[in-house]
Amino acid sequence: MDGTVLIADDDRAIRTVLTQAFTRAGCRVRSTGSASTLWRWVEEGEGDVVVSDVVMPDGDGLEMLPAIRRRRADLPVIVISARNTVLTAVRAAEAGAYDYLPKPFDLKDLMLKVSRALSPVRKPGFAGGEEGGSLPLVGSSPAMQSVYRVLARVLNTDLNVMISGESGTGKDLVARTLHSLGHRRHMPFVTIDSASVTQEQLEAVFLVDGHTGGARHGGRALSATVSTGDAESGLDDLRIETTGGGTESGKRGDSVGSNFPATVQGGATIYLDDVGELSVDMQNRLLSLLRNASAGNRSHRLISSTRQPVADLLQRGLFREDLFFRLNVITINLPPLRERLQDLSELTTHFLQSFGSTNGVFKTISRKGMDHMRTAHWPGNVHELRNFVQRLALLCPEEEIGYEFVSEALRDTSIDRAEAGLEDNMNLSTVVEDRIRRYFDLFGDRLPPPGLYNRIIRQVELPLIALTLASTRGNQIRAASLLGINRNTLRKKIRDLNIEVTRTRKLS
């Protein structure tokens, strides 16, 4: 690397480490713990790239960014911050930061970003935009930081986004965040329930009447508007209005597919909820509508979500590849709660405060109780945690929710899950039958390629064996016994299915 790096951070240890690292890399370095000193250097024309903390004793690094850009528009600023929230990432993007890294950061990652910033041909990591509001997304774990950074980059673009994640991870909330903080936030936000939408409802959303700016329904022109809704959850109310008078209203649970078709003007954000549930006919019709919309320059932005990786659906022939590539321009992968357990305390506090604000009952949870909650698996993810915390707050008679109360509540939840699991197993045959029927439907009058049996069996065997091995902590003898197969058979299947076996503690 060749250039001068300006470092501004009130932590002397961080300044020392960065100074040594960049000096060894061949850079000239000037470091300070003062925002005013950094600004003086910028005014004097010092530096080729800035690495700045947000909070310093005499100023805010983010608040300085617009002034730095006005003074020296070509000076890249990389923001580092211990305030690891999505709002920090968004503020950095809106202020024109070259890039953003949460603390603690990887030194190699920072070095790479500085190297790119010093390159004669560089691409900024963030796109600027208008000022946004606060967000209900909670968590500062590394897994969520990755989500925040992608969000910040795509907020003020028109790119289609696909959000992938297990049930309860908050895909709908991320979709509304993309809309409410982006440059389309004054346009409608319309949710389509992929599992129940009809062809007429799809057409009502995407076929726009050129004379009225809205489509026709029952002889009336319709348009969708968005009004501010539940401030606690950050979700909006969607009102479907007729220009001829009268209003059909619904809270945030309403979506296209529950009442009559919602038709919207160009520029709206269309959210395809659980797009993997679209039937073959609906996939074909949606693709046709998107092609027509592109030809007519109708600028809807599409955000879709899926509980199961669409790549798996493609491999199994259950989703149209050409439709997938239209929807999946940018991917946001939401982590399950078990992969971000360090956010559990922050999330729990948030839900307790929200419950208290709504019901006037303010509770806290003991440290031992919180530690016990971290041992749970949380298959329902953040939504399950929210319901669990609200139940604790409502039923616990004490102001502080203790270990014993948490433990008993978790035991009850485990029993409920086991009973639900038995019911799900009884319906497994029906689910498989439905998937196979949809697979055959994709080929119309033709037959699928040979090898269907092995393809389907492999799809079932892989998760069955992998999860069994995880449950037995990688012990193949116990796994074979649990599965009811010979140990040599299990070894062969592990090899054939390319399953990685790790001896570890049981997942909590």
Side-chain angles (χ1 to χ4, degrees):
M1 284 188 284
D2 182 31
T4 300
V5 181
L6 304 182
I7 299 171
D9 196 301
D10 61 348
D11 189 321
R12 182 186 297 274
I14 289 179
R15 295 201 306 270
T16 300
V17 170
L18 294 185
T19 298
Q20 292 176 350
F22 287 118
T23 300
R24 285 196 301 267
C27 294
R28 296 169 296 281
V29 180
R30 301 194 71 177
S31 67
T32 179
S34 164
S36 58
T37 301
L38 173 63
W39 175 246
R40 176 167 55 80
W41 289 342
V42 170
E43 282 192 310
E44 293 172 352
E46 289 280 346
D48 300 299
V49 63
V50 174
V51 177
S52 176
D53 192 9
V54 173
V55 180
M56 287 178 280
D58 60 340
D60 185 307
L62 283 180
E63 292 179 356
M64 287 178 58
L65 262 173
I68 292 176
R69 287 181 59 81
R70 286 193 298 270
R71 171 72 67 166
R72 294 174 59 185
D74 62 340
L75 179 64
V77 179
I78 298 173
V79 174
I80 55 176
S81 175
R83 292 186 174 180
N84 302 335
T85 68
V86 65
L87 197 55
T88 306
V90 172
R91 283 184 62 203
E94 292 170 342
Y98 176 83
D99 216 324
Y100 161 77
L101 274 177
K103 293 180 181 178
F105 53 83
D106 186 287
L107 182 57
K108 291 182 179 179
D109 192 13
L110 177 59
M111 298 282 287
L112 179 60
K113 294 181 185 304
V114 170
S115 177
R116 289 174 178 169
L118 289 171
S119 173
V121 180
R122 61 173 181 254
K123 295 181 180 179
F126 291 136
E130 296 177 11
E131 185 179 356
S134 60
L135 289 176
L137 294 176
V138 175
S140 56
S141 62
M144 287 305 294
Q145 290 302 315
S146 297
V147 173
Y148 298 161
R149 293 183 63 197
V150 176
L151 273 172
R153 283 180 167 87
V154 301
L155 274 178
N156 292 300
T157 73
D158 294 319
L159 298 176
N160 293 340
V161 177
M162 182 171 287
I163 306 166
S164 175
E166 297 177 6
S167 295
T169 50
K171 297 182 292 294
D172 56 341
L173 189 57
V174 172
R176 291 178 181 271
T177 296
L178 279 169
H179 175 75
S180 62
L181 284 191
H183 63 283
R184 291 172 177 260
R185 60 181 171 271
H186 301 300
M187 301 301 292
F189 179 96
V190 178
T191 297
I192 293 177
D193 182 356
S194 300
S196 62
V197 67
T198 66
Q199 180 171 312
E200 291 75 16
Q201 290 162 344
L202 271 182
E203 292 171 349
V205 171
F206 288 98
L207 295 179
V208 180
D209 186 319
H211 297 292
T212 63
R216 311 296 299 186
H217 177 71
R220 298 173 297 172
L222 303 178
S223 63
T225 61
V226 176
S227 58
T228 302
D230 187 343
E232 184 275 320
S233 68
L235 303 182
D236 296 326
D237 296 339
L238 175 65
R239 297 186 300 149
I240 309 299
E241 299 183 348
T242 65
T243 57
T247 301
E248 297 284 346
S249 300
K251 295 296 286 183
R252 63 179 185 271
D254 288 354
S255 61
V256 177
S258 58
N259 294 313
F260 58 80
T263 55
V264 300
Q265 298 176 341
T269 298
I270 310 298
Y271 175 45
L272 300 166
D273 186 20
D274 208 0
V275 72
E277 294 300 315
L278 278 175
S279 68
V280 176
D281 288 342
M282 289 301 100
Q283 290 179 39
N284 295 336
R285 186 56 183 142
L286 175 59
L287 183 61
S288 175
L289 290 168
L290 293 179
R291 286 169 175 164
N292 291 337
S294 298
N297 295 320
R298 294 166 190 149
S299 56
H300 292 322
R301 184 187 196 180
L302 298 176
I303 301 175
S304 53
S305 68
T306 173
R307 288 178 291 121
Q308 49 188 327
V310 178
D312 292 349
L313 300 180
L314 290 174
Q315 183 180 7
R316 292 152 53 193
L318 298 176
F319 203 87
R320 290 195 57 147
E321 191 175 70
D322 41 4
L323 177 58
F324 169 72
F325 288 125
R326 277 183 175 265
L327 299 176
N328 189 41
V329 179
I330 299 292
T331 303
I332 296 178
N333 296 310
L334 286 183
L337 183 56
R338 62 183 175 275
E339 294 180 5
R340 46 177 298 214
L341 285 177
Q342 70 186 75
D343 291 333
L344 195 72
S345 177
E346 191 176 352
L347 286 164
T348 299
T349 300
H350 171 74
F351 293 140
L352 286 173
Q353 291 175 346
S354 298
F355 182 85
S357 299
T358 303
N359 300 278
V361 179
F362 292 91
K363 300 287 180 71
T364 59
I365 189 166
S366 69
R367 177 175 297 182
K368 192 174 180 181
M370 184 69 69
D371 290 341
H372 191 49
M373 287 172 60
R374 292 190 180 93
T375 67
H377 187 57
W378 303 111
N381 295 296
V382 177
H383 285 186
E384 180 185 5
L385 176 65
R386 179 188 62 191
N387 295 340
F388 180 79
V389 170
Q390 290 177 346
R391 189 158 60 249
L392 290 179
L394 181 65
L395 298 179
C396 182
E398 308 295 334
E399 288 189 6
E400 182 180 75
I401 304 168
Y403 167 82
E404 293 77 10
F405 201 87
V406 171
S407 179
E408 182 178 352
L410 284 176
R411 274 199 306 273
D412 292 342
T413 302
S414 299
I415 293 173
D416 292 343
R417 288 175 189 153
E419 293 175 348
L422 289 174
E423 182 179 347
D424 289 343
N425 289 336
M426 290 163 46
N427 295 326
L428 179 60
S429 178
T430 303
V431 173
V432 173
E433 180 183 356
D434 177 66
R435 294 294 180 178
I436 295 175
R437 181 180 293 109
R438 290 173 60 182
Y439 179 72
F440 274 100
D441 288 344
L442 283 173
F443 294 89
D445 296 331
R446 298 178 294 110
L447 291 175
L452 177 61
Y453 177 84
N454 288 332
R455 287 200 299 275
I456 291 178
I457 293 301
R458 183 183 179 91
Q459 292 290 332
V460 175
E461 274 191 325
L462 180 60
L464 174 62
I465 294 175
L467 290 172
T468 302
L469 286 165
S471 298
T472 61
R473 311 183 192 185
N475 187 314
Q476 296 183 35
I477 296 177
R478 294 179 62 194
S481 175
L482 183 60
L483 290 167
I485 62 177
N486 183 276
R487 184 182 177 188
N488 291 333
T489 301
L490 175 61
R491 285 177 174 172
K492 184 178 185 301
K493 291 186 178 296
I494 290 172
R495 184 174 61 254
D496 293 344
L497 296 170
N498 195 28
I499 298 174
E500 182 178 350
V501 180
T502 304
R503 294 297 297 265
T504 183
R505 66 181 181 84
K506 186 175 179 181
L507 294 175
S508 58

